[in-house]
Amino acid sequence: MRVRFAPSPTGALHIGGVRTALYNYLLAKKHGGTFILRIEDTDQKRYVPGAEDYIKSALAWCGISPDEGPDQGGDFGPYRQSERKDMYAQYAFQLVESGNAYYAFDSPDEIEAMRQAQQAAGNQGARYGVDTRMGMKNSLTFSAEETKAWLDEGKPYTIRLRIPEDETITVNDVIRNTVSFESKELDDKVIFKSDGMPTYHLANVVDDHFMQISHVIRGEEWLSSTGHHVYLYRFLGWEDTMPQFAHLPLILAPEGKGKLSKRHGKKFGFPVFPLSWEAEKEEDSFTGFKDAGYLPEALVNFLAFLGWNPGTEQEIFSLVELVEAFSLDRINKGGARFDIVKAKWYNQQYILQMTDEELAEAYLSMAKNAGKELNADFALKYVRMFKERIEFLPDLLTAGSFLADDEVSEYDKKSVRKKWKGDAEAVLNGYLDVLAQEDNFEPVHLESFTKEYIEQNGLSFGALFPGLRLGLSGSLKGPSIFDMMEILGKEKSIARLKNAPSKFDAIKEEANG
Ligand code: GLU
């Protein structure tokens, strides 16, 4: 089994492309086959610098590593079509020679005029093909001398595939079974241009043949071109070794009709690309899954399920487990709706799977990048406290910033006004006096010690706890009081609690004034 992922470097790689790469990779690994990366850069006009690097980095981040490719090399290279340029021309000319392709000399304006005339005559699907080619400037309508003269003069030309009249062409697709096209509905695709470059169709077929690709697994948008490709294999005499085709379902927008596009990402505020992309124009730039805080394992797991299912209840699969479980026959035919809530859920699951040590390490390095040096012991306790409350790793920075910061920077004023009254201050101060004598700050111990204090002094929880909570964290919500005291340590806890009454009073005065 030899499969390939064949992106065109025309911009950042959409997650639909990452899914295509992933499915190719999974299938190759499952069957001990070879996963190839081929860069399809024959369209010079759409070439975007940096796109190839982006594609490679995105795949690397997801752990999808090619066995053969521009960087890996291999016996079937080169793996960049621009470096294979010289291979393609001979097949284009061979097809002209055998009568399966022809030179076309029409200018873009002439082609447009043909389209408009066709549409005016009520032919909506106007195309350069079986119905129209005999009215155009090409080597089918020119005499041999005329064609030669035009070529000798160096007139710009393209080579078009000559689609047979009135035939049904059948594509066998692993996912969709048999898909048939009427030949007259296929256009005579341009396969070669006078700049010496093949178009996608010719280059793709020639390369798949010579790279001995056994399975072509790609997005559904290529299904309509596959009829053309089958003709190319046939006309080049390669049909008996033609790869098997598998066209993957579309990834649909979160709501409504149509496929997921970067527009939806902007509109709904979620990433649709694996990595961030900096373009010249702001509107063309975007944040990727990585910078949005997703773990690559979570994105991969999420993408695997966009169009495939294992047939069991299991939802969490590592890449290795996906390799084991994956098969083409469990790919859905219907489009897969993109659901960012599910992506977040996956991310949370993968965060919970990380060890506390790994989380602490990630937290320490994020804090460091934000200019904050924290100690390892604090980080470990901190991540234990917050790991269940976050969706993304960077949420760690904000989830408990009131504990990581030197002081409480913000108090919930409404709660302060409501709870800081009566003898609250006296109760807090009384408790602080005994707390100052206490050295064991283990949460379990602090809890029993505090409960005992409350009972012995005839107090209620309601008289002490709100002041404690607000003083330690600024709010009535959050982790347990005793866990907060432990992580802050004795000195900081007491300092915060001593400092609190004056802050609370100021808040109340502000309200009264
Ligand atoms: N270069 C095409 C693309 O950008 C490849 C399609 C295929 O896999 O045949 O998607």
Side-chain angles (χ1 to χ4, degrees):
M1 179 171 288
R2 290 178 57 81
V3 297
R4 86 298 192 275
F5 176 54
S8 299
T10 54
L13 181 65
H14 183 279
I15 51 152
V18 181
R19 185 197 60 175
T20 301
L22 174 64
Y23 285 11
N24 274 283
Y25 171 88
L26 294 177
L27 201 70
K29 295 297 127 182
K30 170 150 188 168
H31 297 281
T34 304
F35 171 62
I36 297 153
L37 174 65
R38 182 173 76 221
I39 301 294
E40 300 208 325
D41 58 349
T42 55
D43 191 345
Q44 311 270 289
K45 282 202 273 320
R46 295 183 60 219
Y47 181 81
V48 172
E52 182 181 325
D53 282 342
Y54 179 100
I55 292 164
K56 291 176 186 164
S57 314
L59 295 183
W61 181 63
C62 292
I64 305 171
S65 42
D67 302 307
E68 295 174 20
D71 295 347
Q72 294 72 17
D75 294 340
F76 299 81
Y79 294 91
R80 213 177 268 115
Q81 287 185 330
S82 55
E83 292 165 24
R84 304 168 67 81
K85 193 180 154 196
D86 297 338
M87 286 189 62
Y88 307 112
Q90 59 174 305
Y91 297 102
F93 296 124
Q94 181 186 316
L95 288 166
V96 174
E97 205 76 350
S98 62
N100 294 306
Y102 58 91
Y103 296 104
F105 300 101
D106 321 82
S107 68
D109 285 347
E110 286 163 337
I111 295 174
E112 186 49 35
M114 175 272 286
R115 286 219 173 90
Q116 296 203 350
Q118 286 286 315
Q119 274 169 8
N123 181 4
Q124 286 312 316
R127 58 181 72 78
Y128 199 126
V130 173
D131 291 339
T132 54
R133 64 191 175 210
M134 295 316 286
M136 303 299 287
K137 281 190 190 151
N138 54 47
S139 57
L140 302 177
T141 57
F142 286 5
S143 68
E145 294 73 43
E146 247 177 317
T147 301
K148 186 173 181 309
W150 280 61
L151 290 173
D152 289 346
E153 273 173 47
K155 289 260 170 64
Y157 68 88
T158 60
I159 295 179
R160 285 181 179 269
L161 185 63
R162 183 181 186 177
I163 295 289
E165 293 168 29
D166 226 1
E167 250 186 38
T168 304
I169 179 91
T170 301
V171 175
N172 292 316
D173 188 282
V174 181
I175 298 166
R176 275 144 230 279
N177 305 321
T178 317
V179 184
S180 297
F181 300 95
E182 290 310 311
S183 66
K184 61 175 180 301
E185 279 162 16
L186 303 181
D187 58 341
D188 285 357
K189 285 243 183 287
V190 173
I191 56 172
F192 198 77
K193 294 168 293 177
S194 51
D195 65 0
M197 275 295 195
T199 62
Y200 154 73
H201 304 284
L202 180 65
N204 188 267
V205 165
V206 169
D207 286 352
D208 283 348
H209 174 73
F210 286 105
M211 292 184 179
Q212 295 178 16
I213 299 302
S214 60
H215 293 71
V216 166
I217 303 162
R218 62 185 169 199
E220 186 182 285
E221 64 272 28
W222 300 104
L223 183 59
S224 63
S225 300
T226 311
H228 294 93
H229 297 179
V230 173
Y231 274 128
L232 280 168
Y233 283 105
R234 183 172 301 168
F235 297 155
L236 289 165
W238 300 336
E239 200 173 359
D240 37 328
T241 55
M242 186 168 71
Q244 289 196 48
F245 295 104
H247 287 91
L248 305 176
L250 291 177
I251 299 182
L252 302 172
E255 52 189 53
K257 290 207 194 101
K259 59 178 193 170
L260 179 72
S261 73
K262 55 182 173 199
R263 224 167 12 91
H264 296 108
K266 293 254 184 215
K267 181 169 164 204
F268 297 106
F270 56 68
V272 290
F273 292 89
L275 308 177
S276 299
W277 177 263
E278 292 272 352
E280 259 170 46
K281 281 190 259 158
E282 169 64 27
E283 72 243 42
D284 297 332
S285 305
F286 42 78
T287 305
F289 276 90
K290 182 179 182 195
D291 288 322
Y294 285 85
L295 298 170
E297 297 83 359
L299 177 63
V300 163
N301 198 155
F302 167 69
L303 286 179
F305 274 71
L306 272 183
W308 169 86
N309 71 78
T312 64
E313 294 293 300
Q314 187 181 343
E315 290 191 277
I316 303 295
F317 283 84
S318 68
L319 193 56
V320 173
E321 290 169 321
L322 284 171
V323 166
E324 186 71 18
F326 193 75
S327 67
L328 284 179
D329 58 9
R330 297 213 62 89
I331 292 177
N332 315 331
K333 283 193 188 60
R337 197 165 286 288
F338 182 85
D339 178 4
I340 196 68
V341 176
K342 196 73 195 187
K344 286 183 187 165
W345 179 83
Y346 270 113
N347 208 51
Q348 272 175 315
Q349 301 308 307
Y350 277 86
I351 287 175
L352 291 174
Q353 279 194 8
M354 288 172 74
T355 63
D356 293 343
E357 287 71 20
E358 287 166 338
L359 279 170
E361 203 177 303
Y363 172 54
L364 282 170
S365 93
M366 288 186 295
K368 194 170 177 186
N369 288 340
K372 212 172 172 65
E373 290 284 352
L374 295 167
N375 85 42
D377 184 49
F378 172 86
L380 204 53
K381 288 181 182 145
Y382 181 95
V383 299
R384 281 187 191 129
M385 206 176 254
F386 293 104
K387 66 180 178 186
E388 271 157 38
R389 301 172 189 238
I390 58 165
E391 282 178 327
F392 303 107
L393 288 182
D395 293 348
L396 278 175
L397 288 177
T398 45
S401 56
F402 53 89
L403 294 176
D405 293 346
D406 291 338
E407 286 173 35
V408 178
S409 60
E410 211 183 312
Y411 292 93
D412 171 5
K413 293 185 179 169
K414 216 165 137 194
S415 304
V416 169
R417 279 182 223 121
K418 212 158 117 200
K419 302 286 183 185
W420 192 244
K421 60 185 177 201
D423 56 1
E425 179 163 3
V427 172
L428 182 63
N429 284 336
Y431 174 71
L432 269 182
D433 286 342
V434 297
L435 189 66
Q437 314 298 313
E438 188 53 56
D439 285 324
N440 183 350
F441 262 55
E442 302 230 346
V444 187
H445 174 77
L446 279 176
E447 184 169 356
S448 61
F449 158 85
T450 306
K451 281 184 176 157
E452 224 166 90
Y453 174 82
I454 287 174
E455 269 163 37
Q456 279 171 3
N457 293 276
L459 299 168
S460 70
F461 291 114
L464 176 63
F465 283 4
L468 266 185
R469 254 193 185 291
L470 286 166
L472 290 168
S473 71
S475 117
L476 291 179
K477 293 189 288 251
S480 114
I481 290 178
F482 307 108
D483 286 344
M484 291 199 286
M485 282 165 79
E486 187 206 18
I487 196 171
L488 287 167
K490 180 172 176 178
E491 203 182 315
K492 256 195 185 168
S493 298
I494 290 184
R496 283 186 178 200
L497 293 171
K498 281 210 164 123
N499 204 9
S502 66
K503 302 265 186 193
F504 295 162
D505 290 343
I507 290 170
K508 293 203 84 163
E509 261 163 46
E510 185 188 297
N512 295 335

